[in-house]
Amino acid sequence: MKWRTLVFGLVTAAWCLGFGTGVRDQSLREAAQASGMLIGTAVRPAQLSEVAYASTLAREFNMLEPEDSLKWEIVHPEPQSFDFSQGDQIIDFAVRHGMKVRGHTLVWHRQNPKWLTEEKYTSGELAQILEKHIKTVVGHYRGKIFAWDVVNEAFDELHVGELRSTIWLNQPGIGLAGNGSSYIERCFRWAHEADPQALLFYNEAEAEVVNPKSDAIYAMVRDFRQRGVPIDGVGFQMHIENLHADVASISTNIKRFTGLGVQIHITEMDVALPVDSNGNARAEDLQRQADIYRELATACLSHPGCTAIQTWGFTDKYSWIGSHSKQTQGAALLFDRNYRAKPAYLALRNTLAAR
Ligand code: XIL
């Protein structure tokens, strides 16, 4: 009896390790690599010393992006000083594990330092500050960051397709207010000067479907491409709420953008679920979540110009959704808080593997 128990134990252990069938289950990374896709995730440097975090990250992804480390308030804490320590730590991890790095983000209206937002600068001064910021940060990571979100969320939240009023556009702006998207153009040109090899993206929220906001971005990108402004891609953030994604419209939108010759990266995907006070979601919601990951991955994979799928974190232990929703939503990512793969993980992995 003891022997049978021992043999059973050994066989079970071997099977769990993947030797039972002779084929170990592919990781997400392996499935993506085989199909030429980039599979990425947002990363927080403080967590890199956690073994389960670091090993899951290296095993499952071939790309990463600092979640906050390259935002102004962290990388440019004082007018005359830059702090690259967090960003460098993340890049170092990526290099050691053969991963590509996306940069996020050079121009945004949020997470800016007080010295920038509370001081009254003239437009001329702001233009100088912004040019120096873009060239210093892109220059520091030249050849290390292959793609940058140059400008993030420059269009309004009302979805009428107008540019958002920000410090960079018109409060007081960098001197190009009233000239449509020319301040955005200027930022792309500065970034391109600092690293001509880097792919330059415009990144946006809630423009994944065809709507007035994505229409306006489409018009801007078409204009940029026609006039030779250096733009290579558009990032669709893909923060999905209420378990609802209009996949047909997203697919149509990917098609029209890639038709302009730019790439689409899905940059910040998560699918937030209602959670109880322990942070647990319902089983049926986890299944529906898996369907959404699968359907959106399928939509991306069906257009050759959609080249990256990135999630906004990978374990439910660390996700912005909790604080963003006052803890009413969560469980938005591929792994649970104990780094166990969720149905969403299997759905995404199998979709990549089937390509
Ligand atoms: C979020 C981060 O995840 C949080 O850690 C931070 O506190 C706030 O910003 N769109 C973006 C991201 O482009 O930069 C945001 O990231 C989420 C929404």
Side-chain angles (χ1 to χ4, degrees):
M1 274 317 224
K2 264 188 179 167
W3 275 106
R4 262 173 59 185
T5 313
L6 181 66
V7 170
F8 178 74
L10 284 172
V11 169
T12 312
W15 186 85
C16 288
L17 288 168
F19 300 124
T21 56
V23 190
R24 189 175 55 81
D25 271 347
Q26 273 189 321
S27 67
L28 209 53
R29 179 174 184 162
E30 287 164 333
Q33 207 88 3
S35 61
M37 280 296 285
L38 292 169
I39 180 84
T41 185
V43 170
R44 300 181 177 179
Q47 264 65 62
L48 289 174
S49 54
E50 190 182 325
V51 174
Y53 185 94
S55 60
T56 307
L57 175 61
R59 185 184 70 234
E60 300 292 344
F61 300 92
N62 58 22
M63 178 173 82
L64 52 69
E65 172 169 314
E67 182 168 344
D68 292 299
S69 301
L70 297 180
K71 292 173 180 171
W72 276 69
E73 65 181 5
I74 295 178
V75 84
H76 200 165
E78 303 294 338
Q80 300 308 331
S81 67
F82 290 82
D83 180 355
F84 294 112
S85 54
Q86 288 193 22
D88 289 357
Q89 205 185 326
I90 292 175
I91 301 248
D92 179 58
F93 185 93
V95 170
R96 277 190 282 119
H97 297 284
M99 307 163 88
K100 289 199 161 195
V101 184
R102 291 189 93 262
H104 176 79
T105 175
L106 300 165
V107 186
W108 197 24
H109 59 284
R110 304 194 56 199
Q111 290 182 268
N112 287 322
K114 286 206 167 70
W115 68 260
L116 178 71
T117 53
E118 290 182 0
E119 186 73 28
K120 294 277 169 256
Y121 294 103
T122 65
S123 290
E125 286 167 341
L126 262 190
Q128 277 181 357
I129 291 170
L130 184 56
E131 177 177 2
K132 180 179 162 204
H133 177 89
I134 290 175
K135 291 189 173 172
T136 306
V137 177
V138 175
H140 181 85
Y141 291 114
R142 186 179 167 129
K144 295 182 176 159
I145 287 189
F146 86 107
W148 273 104
D149 288 337
V150 179
V151 179
N152 193 32
E153 301 179 351
F155 285 84
D156 65 10
E157 255 161 18
L158 303 170
H159 306 117
V160 294
E162 273 167 22
L163 286 170
R164 189 193 289 268
S165 241
T166 69
I167 183 173
W168 307 120
L169 173 71
N170 57 0
Q171 293 182 26
I174 61 168
L176 296 167
N179 288 296
S181 54
S182 53
Y183 91 94
I184 299 176
E185 171 177 348
R186 184 66 54 84
C187 299
F188 275 80
R189 291 193 186 281
W190 283 331
H192 185 67
E193 278 177 47
D195 185 354
Q197 304 301 321
L199 298 176
L200 304 183
F201 279 69
Y202 175 77
N203 195 50
E204 188 56 89
E206 295 168 353
E208 295 85 0
V209 294
V210 175
N211 62 16
K213 194 185 214 181
S214 63
D215 288 348
I217 297 167
Y218 179 81
M220 176 182 80
V221 174
R222 189 177 52 193
D223 168 52
F224 282 7
R225 297 289 289 181
Q226 280 167 354
R227 291 188 299 107
V229 179
I231 185 167
D232 303 287
V234 174
F236 288 168
Q237 291 188 4
M238 211 66 80
H239 295 289
I240 305 292
E241 292 172 351
N242 305 319
L243 280 170
H244 173 75
D246 185 345
V247 181
S249 183
I250 292 170
S251 190
T252 304
N253 207 26
I254 294 175
K255 185 166 187 224
R256 68 170 174 165
F257 273 96
T258 54
L260 293 174
V262 293
Q263 299 183 36
I264 290 292
H265 283 179
I266 292 175
T267 51
E268 305 184 12
M269 184 164 179
D270 48 23
V271 180
L273 302 181
V275 288
D276 63 22
S277 52
N278 296 317
N280 294 319
R282 286 186 292 266
E284 64 265 33
D285 287 349
L286 290 167
Q287 287 305 328
R288 177 70 196 119
Q289 176 183 58
D291 293 342
I292 291 178
Y293 272 98
R294 183 180 50 250
E295 289 163 13
L296 290 174
T298 303
C300 176
L301 291 171
S302 67
H303 303 284
C306 186
T307 50
I309 300 174
Q310 178 167 263
T311 56
W312 207 236
F314 54 97
T315 165
D316 292 336
K317 191 172 178 183
Y318 307 114
S319 159
W320 78 304
I321 294 294
S323 58
H324 182 62
S325 68
K326 302 203 170 65
Q327 313 306 326
T328 61
Q329 308 270 309
L333 296 168
L334 301 175
F335 293 88
D336 71 12
R337 280 165 292 163
N338 297 309
Y339 297 93
R340 278 186 304 243
K342 292 161 63 183
Y345 169 88
L346 295 175
L348 182 55
R349 204 263 326 269
N350 295 344
T351 306
L352 287 166
R355 191 190 204 188

